């Protein structure tokens, strides 16, 4: 009996609840997307998917926890361009983001949005950049930690505009957003799905999105290029991974459940209303996520290493 139960059984998978490790705070954009998917994947798999928020160090603590879990399909690593690409250039990780993980599915993409507290005296991106440039000391920018999406987007924004920011790390952009609303920090270069509700409510101000097209769900916000800033193009895609060595049939099963969830019109509507862009159908394979992750490592690591980010 022992030998049977300790082996990875693909035939009766899943026979008990699955954990999705979200490496950022509850209520943030990663957590929100994971919860929408978990709910619908439960129907597809016949078992609950439980979210565990394991935060810290730009998401690398939570990813490490998933990497070192048994490769049996019961622990899933939720992450994105920050955690599964940028972190490898920022931290000395005790695991390899590509070799130690098995891609499952490429999840929807989030354009980044430049937002500020309402007290900032700017009404356009140009005015915001001028304001940021003339601060006696750098303005404060909330992030979800070094190497997170909001941090990398901030570094990219600095490099395109020539401004300097003073980063304030949080355990996710949910708590960072709370401090922005309260006026305790100046700006966030945030995932759109995190900020858009507060922008609509008028509690913070939006200047531009880092995409080539305006959002269907918020057409009043200009693209960076329309607002006068060229070369600020970035979408933060997310994904699901499992530890390396997870049986292929289990990866296939999880992929099918995620694809079923993403193709559900109610899920699609919910994610799109938050500004997210759905994954194209031909990109929904595990291979597409693996290819994307490797291509983005090649693109971003040199940029991040050049920025010389200190994490100590
Ligand atoms: C979060 O959920 O808090 C975000 O994904 C953090 C980020 O990477 O900016």
């Amino acid at each position: 009996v022992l030998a049977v139960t300790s082996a990875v059984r693909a035939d009766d998978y899943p026979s008990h609840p699955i954990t999705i490790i979200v490496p950022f705070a509850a209520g943030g954009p990663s957590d929100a997307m994971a919860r929408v998917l978990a709910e619908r994947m439960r129907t597809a798999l016949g078992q609950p998917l439980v979210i565990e928020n394991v935060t810290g160090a730009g998401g690398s603590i939570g990813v490490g926890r998933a990497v070192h879990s048994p490769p049996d399909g019961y622990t899933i690593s939720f992450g994105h361009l920050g955690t599964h690409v940028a972190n490898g250039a920022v931290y000395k990780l005790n695991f390899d983001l590509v070799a130690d993980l098995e891609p499952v599915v490429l999840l929807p993409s989030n354009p980044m949005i430049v937002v500020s507290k309402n007290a900032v005296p700017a009404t356009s991106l140009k005015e915001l950049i001028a304001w940021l440039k003339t601060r006696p000391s750098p303005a404060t920018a909330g992030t979800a930690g070094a190497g997170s999406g909001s941090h990398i987007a901030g570094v990219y924004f600095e490099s395109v505009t020539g401004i300097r920011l003073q980063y304030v790390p949080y355990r996710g952009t949910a708590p960072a957003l709370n401090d922005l609303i309260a006026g305790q920090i100046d700006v966030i270069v945030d995932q759109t799905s995190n900020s858009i509700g507060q922008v609509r409510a008028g509690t913070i101000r939006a200047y531009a999105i880092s995409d080539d097209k305006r959002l269907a769900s918020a057409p009043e916000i200009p693209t960076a290029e329309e607002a006068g800033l060229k070369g600020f193009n970035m979408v933060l895609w997310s994904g699901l991974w499992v530890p390396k060595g997870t049986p292929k049939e289990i990866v296939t099963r999880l992929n099918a459940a995620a694809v079923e969830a993403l193709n559900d019109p109610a899920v699609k509507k919910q994610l799109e209303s938050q500004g997210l862009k759905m994954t194209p159908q031909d990109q929904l394979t595990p291979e597409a996520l693996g290819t994307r992750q490797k291509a983005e490592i090649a693109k971003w690591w040199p940029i991040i290493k050049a920025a010389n980010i200190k994490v100590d």
Side-chain angles (χ1 to χ4, degrees):
V1 175
L2 261 182
V4 173
T5 49
S6 62
V8 177
R9 291 273 306 271
D11 50 350
D12 63 352
Y13 174 85
S15 60
H16 58 86
I18 297 165
T19 298
I20 301 182
I21 298 185
V22 169
F24 296 107
S30 295
D31 182 73
M33 199 198 300
R35 281 176 203 275
V36 171
L37 282 173
E39 178 78 17
R40 183 57 185 78
M41 284 174 74
R42 175 192 189 129
T43 311
L45 291 166
Q47 285 290 340
L49 289 89
V50 180
I51 308 292
E52 202 183 321
N53 300 92
V54 180
T55 66
S60 63
I61 308 262
V63 177
R65 177 83 68 83
V67 164
H68 297 114
S69 297
D72 56 7
Y74 291 98
T75 307
I76 298 177
S77 173
F78 181 103
H80 56 35
L81 173 59
T83 53
H84 287 68
V85 172
N87 274 353
V90 172
Y91 298 97
K92 283 191 181 70
L93 302 175
N94 65 356
F95 54 86
D96 188 299
L97 285 166
V98 173
D100 295 335
L101 287 163
E102 204 70 71
V104 174
V105 71
L106 179 62
L107 295 175
S109 296
N110 226 331
M112 305 305 288
I113 187 165
V114 182
V115 290
S116 81
K117 64 180 178 184
N118 274 342
V120 169
T123 55
S124 66
L125 186 64
K126 278 192 172 147
E127 285 178 21
L128 177 73
I129 293 168
W131 183 80
L132 290 169
K133 277 190 176 155
T134 53
R135 295 293 79 216
S137 57
T140 49
T143 74
S148 65
S150 41
H151 180 223
I152 296 310
V155 169
Y156 185 38
F157 187 65
E158 283 182 302
S159 78
V160 174
T161 57
I163 54 149
R164 297 297 306 158
L165 295 169
Q166 165 83 52
Y167 293 103
V168 183
Y170 294 81
R171 288 184 175 264
T173 44
L177 184 59
N178 285 340
D179 271 7
L180 189 73
I181 295 164
Q184 258 135 31
I185 50 172
D186 298 318
V187 295
I188 308 178
V189 187
D190 200 5
Q191 291 171 66
T192 296
S193 66
N194 193 46
S195 283
I196 195 71
Q198 295 299 333
V199 171
R200 286 179 185 139
T203 56
I204 57 171
R205 196 170 294 156
Y207 298 90
I209 57 159
S210 64
D211 203 3
D212 50 10
K213 274 206 210 79
R214 292 190 184 210
L215 297 166
S217 59
E220 67 281 11
I221 305 167
T223 68
E225 182 151 0
E226 286 171 343
L229 180 63
K230 279 200 171 43
F232 185 58
N233 244 284
M234 164 182 182
V235 291
L236 190 122
W237 49 270
S238 291
L240 299 179
W241 289 258
V242 286
K244 196 70 170 185
T246 303
K248 178 121 184 33
E249 310 87 86
I250 290 182
V251 174
T252 305
R253 191 79 208 282
L254 286 172
N255 173 271
V259 171
E260 187 181 317
L262 292 168
N263 283 332
D264 183 322
V267 168
K268 188 168 181 271
K269 194 174 162 205
Q270 191 170 354
L271 296 178
E272 283 181 339
S273 72
Q274 296 163 0
L276 286 157
K277 306 205 308 188
M278 300 308 285
T279 312
Q281 289 297 321
D282 65 348
Q283 298 286 299
L284 287 170
T285 59
E287 293 72 32
L289 174 58
T291 305
R292 184 69 174 262
Q293 187 185 10
K294 283 182 211 143
E296 299 268 34
I297 284 173
K299 175 183 165 181
W300 284 98
W301 280 18
I303 298 172
I304 295 164
K305 286 179 176 165
N308 204 15
I309 293 159
K310 297 271 184 291
V311 289
D312 302 324

